[in-house]
Every structure is written in C-alpha cells, then in structure tokens.
Amino acid sequence: EISAKAALVSDLDTGEIILDKNAGDVLPIASLTKLMTATVASELIYLGRSVVIDGAMLRDEVQSYPLKVGERIQAFDLLYPLLMESSNGAARALAAFLGERYFLSQMKAKAMTLSMKETNFEDPAGAGDLNKSTLKDLAKLSKYILEKRRFIFDISRGKDFNFFGINTLSDIANYNEFAEVKNLVGMKNGETKAAEQTILTVWKMSDRRGDSRNIFIGILGSENRAADVEATRAWLKTAFDLK
C-alpha cells in the first residue's frame, strides 16, 4: 500500500522489472532533475574551476542552502549542496559555467543518448513544472550514474572527496532521508506542488542465493515518499527475500 502515483522497482544489473505501477507515465520530477545536472556538469565542466555566485543564480524562491552573492566556489564543491540539500542555487551556478541555455540543451541531449525519450528538462534546478520524466527513464539515468559516475551517488550519501583540494562544503547537513542506511548506494529526493513528493533510490541487496543486486526504487507523485520506499523495501524482503 503506497500513496505514489507511480512506482518502479527494478534490477539495474539485469534490467528485470520487479514492480511497475504506472512507471511509464510522464510526471513532474522536481529535484530529481539535479541528478542529470550533476551528470552533465561532471562531464562537461572541469570541476576544479570556480565560479562567483551572483543574484541570477539565486533567483528561485526556494534556496535550501545559503549561497551568498559574491562568494567564489569550486564546481566540485557545489555538487554537495546540489545533491545533499537540493540547492537550486548550486544547480544554476553549475549551469552558469557553460551558460544556462547551453547547459540545458546538453541535459536534453544526454537524455536522448540514454534513450530517455519521455524526459524533458525546463531548468537545471528542477524548479519548473515542465521538468518531467518517467520512472523507466529515470532508471536508465540511475544505471548510467551507477556504472559511469558512481561518485555522484557517493556524494548523495555524504562521502567526502578531496579531488581538488580541501572540500569546503562536504560537512553540510544531508537532507536525503536514507543517507545513513548502510546498504544505500545513492539517492535524490524532490518536492514541488505539481510533482508532490518524489524520490529515486538505489540499494545494494542480497537475494536468496546471497548474490548482490543493485535495486532501483523510484517513486513519483507521493504523499509520503519515505513511507512509500520503506513499504516497498519491506515488501521486497517478504515477497522475494531481498535484504
């Protein structure tokens, strides 16, 4: 029993679908958008570069992390408020390295290369209602991150990297509900009025034979995303002995 309009549970290693509740429906995704923002930034920007925060980067009404106009921040460091506190300002600051319009075009292009055919991005922060996708598309993005950009999931759990010197933002609070759970691989959550609550999680689970599996659990249009994920995890254990 879950409140979500759409839910998907799949094995990212085999492609096997375990649960499909409207997983092909196109719905607003809110800040799940930021996973693509992080992916594109990591591939097109030298993350050792820095940017000066300006007012245009902070134009969204919601600012979950207190970036300040005039401060200079390294691109890699911006991934921490982006992924841990869902900072809209961090998303727009990363896009500013390439110009927001061009950055957005590259987000859309990346979606097409991953065959995310039902996905659209309106802005790099996920603030607009036209940031839409399906859970089947988001599972493709998750598989790509898992295989090619694993550090993005690591950062979502709060892992500290010092690739470009001392990280100034790695010790901030983590708003990802399951960040402390041992077998979480990575996640991102989001919420807007149009999207309601959204969440994307990847878990390391063991099956009856003891084999390790990367399990995707995605939820869109939820009244209580954490409860929906918990209920789904409990169901996986009961029905399939996935632990």
Side-chain angles (χ1 to χ4, degrees), residues 194-218:
E196 298 178 85
Q197 292 188 17
T198 63
I199 192 167
L200 180 160
T201 62
V202 178
W203 304 86
K204 183 69 72 174
M205 294 186 176
S206 296
D207 60 22
R208 291 188 178 102
R209 296 173 298 183
D211 293 334
S212 180
R213 305 176 71 171
N214 289 299
I215 302 297
F216 171 92
I217 302 176

Side-chain angles (χ1 to χ4, degrees), residues 158-179:
K159 184 174 180 178
D160 186 12
F161 291 102
N162 295 306
F163 294 148
F164 302 98
I166 296 174
N167 192 315
T168 60
L169 299 178
S170 60
D171 61 347
I172 62 175
N174 196 332
Y175 297 161
N176 291 319
E177 294 93 329
F178 301 103

Side-chain angles (χ1 to χ4, degrees), residues 34-59:
K34 293 184 174 81
L35 286 173
M36 182 62 87
T37 304
T39 299
V40 171
S42 71
E43 294 182 346
L44 298 184
I45 298 170
Y46 173 60
L47 296 176
R49 291 177 59 197
S50 61
V51 66
V52 176
I53 304 301
D54 63 30
M57 299 172 189
L58 306 180
R59 63 185 181 273

Side-chain angles (χ1 to χ4, degrees), residues 73-237:
I73 304 180
Q74 200 172 64
F76 187 80
D77 291 4
L78 285 169
L79 293 175
Y80 283 81
L82 178 81
L83 298 168
M84 292 172 61
E85 295 193 2
S86 205
S87 167
N88 291 337
R92 296 198 185 271
L94 284 166
F97 277 92
L98 303 177
E100 189 165 309
R101 181 178 296 182
Y102 179 73
F103 190 94
L104 187 61
S105 73
Q106 294 306 298
M107 291 174 66
K108 295 178 180 180
K110 190 66 181 181
M112 292 306 297
T113 66
L114 297 177
S115 295
M116 298 171 64
K117 297 179 181 179
E118 302 298 331
T119 298
N120 180 67
F121 296 114
E122 179 183 10
D123 61 76
D129 296 344
L130 294 180
N131 292 288
K132 293 185 176 184
S133 188
T134 69
L135 286 170
K136 290 183 177 179
D137 275 6
L138 292 172
K140 295 174 183 177
L141 176 59
S142 297
K143 181 177 177 63
Y144 182 80
I145 292 173
L146 184 68
E147 294 179 348
K148 305 295 185 182
R149 289 290 182 270
R150 180 68 173 264
F151 72 91
I152 290 174
F153 279 154
D154 290 337
I155 289 173
S156 77
R157 294 186 292 107
K159 184 174 180 178
D160 186 12
F161 291 102
N162 295 306
F163 294 148
F164 302 98
I166 296 174
N167 192 315
T168 60
L169 299 178
S170 60
D171 61 347
I172 62 175
N174 196 332
Y175 297 161
N176 291 319
E177 294 93 329
F178 301 103
E180 301 299 322
V181 180
K182 185 176 180 180
N183 67 319
L184 179 76
V185 176
M187 67 166 289
K188 184 71 190 74
N189 57 23
E191 182 174 4
T192 63
K193 185 175 181 179
E196 298 178 85
Q197 292 188 17
T198 63
I199 192 167
L200 180 160
T201 62
V202 178
W203 304 86
K204 183 69 72 174
M205 294 186 176
S206 296
D207 60 22
R208 291 188 178 102
R209 296 173 298 183
D211 293 334
S212 180
R213 305 176 71 171
N214 289 299
I215 302 297
F216 171 92
I217 302 176
I219 298 288
L220 296 180
S222 174
E223 297 174 7
N224 188 331
R225 63 194 176 212
D228 284 350
V229 170
E230 289 283 25
T232 304
R233 292 176 68 211
W235 173 75
L236 286 170
K237 184 176 180 180

